[in-house]
Amino acid sequence: MADDSEEEVVLHWLVSRRWGQRSILDEEPTRRRRFWVHPIVSQRYRKGHFHSLYKDLRLHPEKFFAFCRMSLGTFDCLLSSLRTVLTFMDTNMRRSITPEERLIVTLRFLATGNSFASLHFEFLLGTSTISRIVRHTCQVIWEQLRETVMPQPKVDDWLRIAVGFNSSAQFPNCLGAMDGKHIRVKKPPHSGSRFFNYKHFFSIVLMAVADSNYKFIMVDIGAYGSTADARIFSASRMGERLRANQLAIPESRRLPGSAGPPAPFVFVADEGFALTNHVMRPFPKRGLDVRRRIYNYRLTRARRYVECAFGILSSKWRVFLSSIQMDPENATRVIQACVVLHNFTRIHEASSSVDLDDFPTTTVLGLDRTLHRRPGTAGIAVRELYADYFLSPEGSLPWQRDAIRGSV
């Protein structure tokens, strides 16, 4: 009996020991933190870009503009608008990062597209800290400034926009130029081909309406890159509100100098959009007569303003020149912030002139053109009305026939 009990004890000990070794092997080794603050990061107040450059940059406005992609006055105005929501409390463990530094870090990311790891060595902040700062600041910029710089237009606003298009593009009753832009992002995990566009890269779509001052009036951000622009616009909030007559569009008016019937106010778009009584697109390219070619030329002159707006956006905020290394949700926040900052700088800074010759009328930019819908009778009638007007003595331009010479 004693031998049996001793064997049970030994067996129990062996089993326990074997089970303990297995549990130890199954557990992931915990990584011990070597530093509370890394020695390199601890030098932030002496060597970090913000603490070593910020005061000097403010003494040289041209260098400040090159660093932040906005003037010193615009930056100060932006900072005053965001200071309250970017201010955090100091703790016993460490001082909080100031609103100035948070905004500078975010603007530098948007202006250069540098990785968080690269910004870590520039500003001597932790990579995860920079990531949180950028995400939070972009969200704050969108939430705090969207209604200020991109409010929902009212009737008077639409009429003012139409006056601008008639003055600059000679397209009357135009409420805005509409198009979409693919924003390159890294492939989201388990997303299949939903974000893979016809240009053969992964993207989300910025759908926008711009005015004649290259400011964005309405935007829809975040659609799958594989989706055609007509479907994106149809499913967007602005598309739904347009169909429901909730955009406060002015009543139809006669075109300048015309004695014909009143013409609806319209948005100009390319052939990727459906033709409706408030959305004008070009005539199909085959079998065009002079009248239709002139209409296409006049519409394209107005539509180029949204393409110019996209070009200004990308040249100022160079995060768009490479793939945004974020998931779609955070990439959408970055795009939202850039759209708001685009309008903010257009409002607060002297608008720089844009050479429209950099955007030729024969170039087709934007989204996939594979979706074609049969236009409705109302849209066809409105397009014919504008085509007749552009050929009439009241609506023609002296150079339009020379401009279409040689076009197909």
Side-chain angles (χ1 to χ4, degrees):
M1 295 293 294
D3 294 339
D4 292 341
S5 60
E6 291 178 359
E7 290 178 357
E8 290 178 358
V9 170
V10 173
L11 181 62
H12 183 269
W13 177 78
L14 290 174
V15 171
S16 300
R17 183 180 180 185
R18 184 65 177 270
W19 180 261
Q21 290 177 347
R22 180 176 297 179
S23 62
I24 292 174
L25 293 174
D26 291 341
E27 293 178 357
E28 294 183 0
T30 57
R31 182 180 177 183
R32 297 186 61 184
R33 188 167 181 172
R34 294 180 60 193
F35 308 104
W36 174 248
V37 177
H38 196 279
I40 293 179
V41 176
S42 65
Q43 303 178 67
R44 175 166 67 95
Y45 294 105
R46 293 187 295 107
K47 298 182 179 180
H49 273 193
F50 175 79
H51 295 278
S52 61
L53 285 178
Y54 179 67
K55 292 182 179 179
D56 292 334
L57 288 173
R58 292 188 65 90
L59 299 177
H60 303 279
E62 71 284 355
K63 296 296 184 181
F64 189 95
F65 183 91
F67 191 80
C68 295
R69 307 300 293 170
M70 64 175 59
S71 67
L72 182 58
T74 302
F75 174 83
D76 288 339
C77 184
L78 177 64
L79 180 62
S80 65
S81 302
L82 305 177
R83 180 179 293 277
T84 302
V85 288
L86 292 181
T87 301
F88 292 83
M89 294 180 60
D90 295 334
T91 67
N92 294 329
M93 304 299 293
R94 63 183 64 182
R95 287 189 290 174
S96 64
I97 301 173
T98 63
E100 290 86 350
E101 187 169 5
R102 289 175 175 272
L103 188 55
I104 287 289
V105 168
T106 302
L107 291 178
R108 192 61 182 162
F109 168 74
L110 300 179
T112 63
N114 289 348
S115 66
F116 294 150
S118 176
L119 295 175
H120 156 68
F121 290 106
E122 294 175 8
F123 290 92
L124 301 185
L125 289 165
T127 303
S128 60
T129 301
I130 292 177
S131 175
R132 289 193 298 270
I133 288 174
V134 170
R135 293 198 308 267
H136 175 257
T137 307
C138 286
Q139 183 177 357
V140 165
I141 290 173
W142 173 257
E143 293 176 351
Q144 297 294 317
L145 300 179
R146 175 185 55 178
E147 295 297 330
T148 302
V149 303
M150 197 168 49
Q152 176 60 44
K154 298 179 173 58
V155 174
D156 292 341
D157 300 321
W158 287 125
L159 292 175
R160 185 166 55 252
I161 292 171
V163 169
F165 270 102
N166 190 34
S167 175
S168 58
Q170 293 77 48
F171 199 108
N173 288 18
C174 179
L175 300 179
M178 182 190 311
D179 204 355
K181 178 179 177 60
H182 284 285
I183 307 298
R184 189 186 296 264
V185 297
K186 71 174 183 179
K187 181 185 183 301
H190 314 297
S191 61
S193 60
R194 286 177 296 177
F195 292 90
F196 194 71
N197 62 41
Y198 75 105
K199 297 182 179 181
H200 307 296
F201 60 84
F202 295 92
S203 67
I204 57 180
V205 176
L206 164 61
M207 179 70 64
V209 177
D211 64 12
S212 59
N213 193 35
Y214 315 105
K215 291 191 302 181
F216 295 114
I217 307 169
M218 299 182 294
V219 296
D220 181 82
I221 305 170
Y224 296 141
S226 62
T227 309
D229 48 359
R231 289 196 178 98
I232 294 173
F233 178 72
S234 179
S236 68
R237 178 170 173 78
M238 55 184 172
E240 294 174 352
R241 297 188 67 184
L242 179 62
R243 289 193 301 273
N245 296 320
Q246 297 177 350
L247 289 181
I249 293 178
E251 295 292 332
S252 301
R253 293 188 177 185
R254 284 192 175 92
L255 299 175
S258 172
F265 285 83
V266 297
F267 298 95
V268 294
D270 59 23
E271 61 271 25
F273 291 82
L275 179 67
T276 69
N277 59 329
H278 287 299
V279 178
M280 293 291 100
R281 75 178 190 186
F283 285 104
K285 294 183 179 180
R286 294 183 179 180
L288 294 177
D289 57 16
V290 173
R291 172 175 163 276
R292 293 188 172 189
R293 287 160 61 191
I294 288 176
Y295 167 85
N296 284 2
Y297 166 72
R298 297 286 292 273
L299 181 139
T300 306
R301 289 185 76 248
R303 186 176 59 82
R304 285 186 299 172
Y305 282 87
V306 68
E307 296 175 0
C308 289
F310 287 147
I312 296 169
L313 178 75
S314 298
S315 63
K316 179 176 285 289
W317 308 113
R318 298 180 182 178
V319 67
F320 295 124
L321 298 184
S322 59
S323 177
I324 300 177
Q325 298 299 306
M326 293 179 171
D327 60 79
E329 180 181 356
N330 288 317
T332 298
R333 292 180 182 175
V334 168
I335 300 168
Q336 289 173 335
C338 289
V339 166
V340 168
L341 291 173
H342 171 89
N343 279 13
F344 192 87
T345 55
R346 296 296 298 177
I347 292 171
H348 289 83
E349 298 177 1
S351 299
S352 57
S353 60
V354 178
D355 187 2
L356 288 176
D357 292 336
D358 294 337
F359 300 85
T361 58
T362 56
T363 302
V364 177
L365 303 176
L367 304 179
D368 192 358
R369 314 299 178 203
T370 57
L371 179 65
H372 299 283
R373 294 184 177 181
R374 186 179 298 277
T377 56
I380 292 176
V382 174
R383 183 167 64 179
E384 294 294 334
L385 178 61
Y386 276 92
D388 291 337
Y389 175 76
F390 292 145
L391 199 60
S392 69
E394 297 81 11
S396 63
L397 298 176
W399 65 84
Q400 63 185 20
R401 289 183 179 270
D402 293 335
I404 66 170
R405 187 173 299 164
S407 63
V408 180

